[in-house]
Amino acid sequence: MYQKQGKWSLRFSEAPFILESASVVGTKEGEGPLGGLFDLVGDDDKFGQNTWEKAESSMQRDALTTALGKADLGASDMDYVFAGDLLGQSMATTFGVENFRIPWFGIYGACSTCGEALSLAAAFVAAGYARYAAAVTSSHFGSAEKQFRFPNQYANQRPMCATWTVTGSAAFVIGQGDCASENAVNANINGDSNEIASVNNNNCDNDEGEKSYTSSNDIYKKETNKPRRVKIEGITTGVVVDYGIKDAMNMGAAMAPAACELIVNHLKDFGRRADYYDKIITGDLGSVGHKILIDLCRQKGVDISKNHEDCGMKMFDSANQNTGAGGSGCGCSATVLSAYYLPKLRSGELNRILFVPTGALLSPVSFNEGESVPGIAHGVVLEAVI
């Protein structure tokens, strides 16, 4: 069945569902306004490893293991995993997913990777290519700063427009409609006994150092008896948008034009107004990009000033945590969606949202050669249903 909606979008005739998700974050994120909502908060940002990169891989393993356990599924149940990170050749993801033995599509969309992963996983499930698919992404302050900006030991000053790369990972389990119903029934039957499956039960043999966590619930799970399910009604795929921004410390300005174009294209494809959504949520524009986005959308006749929120602005208390314009990184939008927005959809506080993770497409090579920083954004329509 043809499911294309307009030029830029897909509207699924049989919408897939987000069955479960899990979030893992570092210490600074755990100290922020959302700290009590994440599944796992590391007691230190090395997560039992001896490098930042290995720590990021460890977060991915924990996020995917936890999400699978919450969904009462194992790695062998997954048909595909769509996953990526910010590092060269997606090295954090390579070592993060290798032992799960799930067919892997490695993807890169910079900080928009969560939207890209969810879009592809949903499309595969909706088309019948998969019964279950996982979407995973991550970022780490230490590894990202080392690759994209300056060595941490350099202690360079950061302008107020700069954002703070989130140390975090999130995983989402996507399934067909009947899977969502089964999952809800199992949650009601199992209740508090529905604990997270062990790594061995997920067919993943992880060889990690010792690590410890402060968890919001001690057994790697949250309340599963939720009355509403979250379906992915459709997606809108973004294009590269380049306004010639060359300041690598001002990612909000680089990404806001791409977010604007995505939102405008989405509303046109679906024939909707901005107020159709309870919230239009961008990934990590921060306070600077938030203002730019609202102005750009107004110039195109779209007013999102009353229902726009940004995950980067939710993650930290910027004034007290010294995080500049807010949070950024692949893990920013992913962990905030998992820990903050999905529970609001399931509880009925929100009915439908347009999730728009944003990414700045730069590399150390392009930056050093004086190239601009293009932006990208991807849109995912999430709706709560009974």
Side-chain angles (χ1 to χ4, degrees), residues 1 23 30 131 136 154 161-162 172 176 184 192 232 238 248 250 265 326 367:
M1 180 180 294
S23 56
R131 180 170 172 81
V136 185
Y154 184 68
C161 63
F172 303 84
Q176 298 169 343
D192 289 342
I232 302 177
N250 192 355
N265 289 341
F367 175 75

Side-chain angles (χ1 to χ4, degrees), residues 124-171:
F124 264 58
V125 171
Y129 302 143
R131 180 170 172 81
Y132 298 108
V136 185
T137 190
S138 65
S139 56
H140 194 295
F141 178 83
S143 61
E145 290 295 310
K146 184 167 68 174
Q147 175 167 304
F148 288 101
R149 295 194 176 102
F150 297 96
N152 294 331
Q153 295 87 344
Y154 184 68
N156 63 298
Q157 291 184 320
R158 301 165 62 88
M160 292 304 296
C161 63
T163 51
W164 190 278
T165 304
V166 165
T167 296
S169 176

Side-chain angles (χ1 to χ4, degrees), residues 44-76:
D44 67 73
D45 290 348
K46 284 290 186 68
F47 292 88
Q49 307 301 314
N50 57 11
T51 69
W52 303 125
E53 292 78 12
K54 288 182 179 180
E56 187 169 343
S57 298
S58 178
M59 287 193 297
Q60 285 202 10
R61 286 192 289 270
D62 291 334
L64 182 53
T65 299
T66 305
L68 289 172
K70 291 167 70 174
D72 198 23
L73 296 168
S76 60

